[in-house]
Every structure is written in C-alpha cells, then in structure tokens.
Amino acid sequence: MKLHADKPEALTVSGTNLEHARSHNRRAVLETIRRNQRLTRAELARLTALTPQTVSNITAELLEAGILLAGAPVRDGARGQPAIPLSLNPDGAYSIGVQLDHRHLIAVMVDMAGVLRARVETPVDRPSPKQALPVIKKALSDLKAQSASAWERLLGMGLVMPGPFGVQGMTSVGPTTLPGWEAMDATQLSAALGMPVRLEKDATAAAIGERLYGSASTLQNYVYLFVGTGLGAGLFLDGSLYAGGRHNAGEIGHMIVEPDGLHCECGNRGCLERYVSLRALGECMRLPDDNEALRALLAQPPLAGDAWLRQAAPRLRQAINILECLLDIEAVVIGGLLPPAWQQALVDSLHPLASSTRSSQASRLRLGSAGRDVVALGAAALPIFDEFNPQYEVLLKRA
Ligand SMILES: [Zn+2]
C-alpha cells in the first residue's frame, strides 16, 4: 500500500504558498473549535496564535458555507463589544470512516461534530483490493440509504487498514497484512470510490478515535497499541499525531524483542507481533487457521488463553519500557480486536511494569475506552481535519 501517488522526494524546504497557508489555518480553526466546542473569535486567535484578521476571514468563510454556527452574542465584562461564540454546525458537513481488517469491514458516517449518524458492518475474509472495493461500495450505498441528505455535503472518506505501507518485503508479506494492496494509493482509491479518500494505518486511526471519543482526550503524549491480527501503534506526541517520514511510525510489530526468536515473514526473527497479536494467539493455542476457531476461543473467558498471555506479557512489558524510555509518554493505551475481557486480562498480566522514566504503576496503562468503532470513528475524522481535502473548496464555493 502506498499512501500517495509516486512523487520525487523534495530536495528543499519550500516556502509557504498562500493557498496552503489558508487551508492549514482553516484546519487549525476547525480543530480548535471541535476541541473547545464554543469559542469567540478572540479566543480562537489566542488559542491558534493566528492574527485576529486571519481568524475573522476564515470564520466568515466557514459561517457563509454553513460549516460554523454563530451563537447569541455574550458580553465579556463591562467593556468592549459583545462577542459571538462560534461552534461547529453538525449538519455543516459529513464524513465517512471505513475500517478494513482481516475479518470485518466497519463503515460509519459522522457529522461535523463527530456524532455517529449511520453505521454498517460486514464480514470479510482477508480481502484484496479487488474483493474489498465492491464491499466498500455496498457499504457506502447502505450508509447513503440511512442518511441520504448528508451525501450532498460529504467531505470524503478515511480508509484505514493494517500497516506497514510501502515497505519492500513487509507490506504485503505474511498473514498479518492484507494481500494485493502494495500498488494501491489514495489517488486510485479516490477515483474508484468517487470521493476524496485519505489512507491511514488502523493503529493511527485508533489513536485519533481514542483522543476524540475515549480515554485519551486529556493526554498530550501517548501511544495506542493496536492488537489486531498483527500489532501496530499510533503515536500521539506533544498534542499531535506523529506519522513518521513515510507514515510508518509506530510499526512496532516488527520491533525485535527476541533476537533468536520465532521467524517472521519480514525476514527477521523474534518480532514483537510474533508474540503479541491475534495471529500469535491462534498459533500459541494451536488453532486451525480460520476465523471461526479464533472467534470461538475469544467467546470464552480469557483464562482460555492463559498460555498465550504468559508468553505475550514479558515481551509486551519490554516494548512498553522501550516506548516510555524513548518517548516519555504519559500512558500506553491498549486496544484493538480482542474482546474487552481479554484486553483487561492482557493489561493485568503486564503488572508490575518495569521502571522507566514513568514511575506510577496505575495510570501508565489504560484500556481503550472508545469502543469497537474507535478505528472507524478515528478514520472518519481524517477527511474533516485534512487540510488538503478538496471538498472544502467545493463547499465554500457553493455557499
Ligand atoms: Zn517481522
């Protein structure tokens, strides 16, 4: 999987062109209002460090396009003009999030305020693009049937799946990746699906979803560990996502934790996801390689997977120690495709944690709390906060 169409690596740092600055500032305004719900222009200027004139221009445009709503004026103390609080208009625009993994496709539609408006879930079986595209199209038409009027103001789709992306010898190798996606990029998918598509890794989308909907809303530095068929991490550092040079930051499934350990399809031995993943669970419990056997196991209490927990815990504890020492994070959030009771058992098995730059035992590990749709909801936020999303220009021109 490639995230973008091939383009030459930039050799120099380019200056800011005005169009880019405008869309970047618009994104800053939208994100800041979403986080704070209601803000006056003066508060926006302070929080975004933009000039009052820039804030005034951007908010005028977004109000005109119906993306922002103006509230009743409030007087701030005795002096000055009354200020108008601005909020996101839930019906100002809509966005779709699609999570594709080995076993499920979950598609959600959210409004501008992030509220779930429609949802579809379909079983899949390790789909290639050729198999997945018709399923995604069907999910889109089902979403449209649930909320047809929203289609007029659709910003696009965030499509997320397991990584890594575009890494020779890793991307489409082995049972933890989805097959046949290495030649696909967002441009091709946008053309095939008839709307702007942003691609991202599932772990990164989970980190966004947990930030917007779950237990990470107050954290400035955390890592989301996504235990799926493989293992990935979403990095949220200093208040923003960290994607890495080629969007593969957090691909910790291939971090070596046992130099002479189990062979991995990437060519190394002892990769972390050979011990901590649904695939590793199935192998450890000697399950047949099919979805049914795993589903049946996960329907039991986590004691049924005790042998796997005992092999996973020390390796994961080591990885958490590395993440804490390297990144000085406030917490590691654990989520993914395990049922909640199994996630809890995995977290419990990690205590006591090794000492690191973080000392408190209690708050260093958190369970993902945004629920089963965390990845799809995080994916749906991608088009809303994508400063390059061309749909904004369409909505603004239509106003
Ligand atoms: Zn590996």
Side-chain angles (χ1 to χ4, degrees), residues 188-204:
Q188 290 170 281
L189 286 164
S190 301
L193 296 168
M195 65 176 75
V197 175
R198 262 280 309 263
L199 282 169
E200 200 44 89
K201 293 191 306 174
D202 49 11
T204 304

Side-chain angles (χ1 to χ4, degrees), residues 170 253-255 264-269 271-274:
M170 271 193 189
H254 295 284
M255 186 162 84
C264 179
E265 284 76 11
C266 74
N268 295 327
R269 297 177 76 100
C271 291
L272 182 59
E273 73 175 23
R274 298 295 289 108

Side-chain angles (χ1 to χ4, degrees), residues 98-336:
V98 174
Q99 176 192 9
L100 189 63
D101 65 36
H102 294 64
R103 298 185 292 153
H104 307 97
L105 177 139
I106 296 177
V108 298
M109 185 168 77
V110 303
D111 64 26
M112 197 65 195
V115 174
L116 180 70
R117 293 295 191 93
R119 181 186 190 279
V120 176
E121 180 169 346
T122 315
V124 293
D125 189 6
R126 208 167 170 251
S128 66
K130 203 170 156 211
Q131 292 159 324
L133 280 171
V135 183
I136 296 173
K137 285 181 182 167
K138 171 73 168 60
L140 289 178
S141 74
D142 291 350
L143 290 177
K144 192 173 179 179
Q146 290 179 44
S147 209
S149 61
W151 232 249
E152 291 279 292
R153 301 185 66 83
L154 201 59
L155 288 171
M157 176 197 297
L159 172 61
V160 303
M161 61 183 73
F165 294 150
V167 181
Q168 191 80 41
M170 271 193 189
T171 297
S172 272
V173 179
T176 59
T177 63
L178 295 180
W181 289 85
E182 58 274 44
M184 271 286 177
D185 63 38
T187 310
Q188 290 170 281
L189 286 164
S190 301
L193 296 168
M195 65 176 75
V197 175
R198 262 280 309 263
L199 282 169
E200 200 44 89
K201 293 191 306 174
D202 49 11
T204 304
I208 298 170
E210 201 63 28
R211 169 84 177 163
L212 294 174
Y213 297 94
S215 65
S217 63
T218 59
L219 299 178
Q220 289 301 304
N221 291 280
Y222 64 93
V223 170
Y224 191 106
L225 283 184
F226 189 87
V227 184
T229 302
L231 179 72
L235 309 183
F236 195 88
L237 305 174
D238 279 344
S240 6
L241 276 180
Y242 181 76
R246 300 178 63 87
H247 277 246
N248 282 322
E251 207 44 65
I252 66 164
H254 295 284
M255 186 162 84
I256 296 169
V257 291
E258 292 281 350
D260 299 313
L262 296 172
H263 178 261
C264 179
E265 284 76 11
C266 74
N268 295 327
R269 297 177 76 100
C271 291
L272 182 59
E273 73 175 23
R274 298 295 289 108
Y275 305 92
V276 184
S277 63
L278 294 187
R279 179 204 179 192
L281 168 64
E283 282 184 355
C284 178
M285 306 308 293
R286 300 182 194 282
L287 298 183
D289 185 20
D290 65 57
N291 287 341
E292 264 327 298
L294 189 60
R295 225 189 303 269
L297 175 67
L298 292 174
Q300 297 178 51
L303 195 59
D306 194 49
W308 170 67
L309 286 170
R310 276 187 279 116
Q311 74 146 41
R315 276 96 182 193
L316 190 51
R317 201 179 294 126
Q318 179 183 341
I320 289 167
N321 172 261
I322 293 169
L323 291 171
E324 287 182 337
C325 290
L326 186 66
L327 301 171
D328 191 20
I329 42 179
E330 293 158 79
V332 172
V333 182
I334 294 189

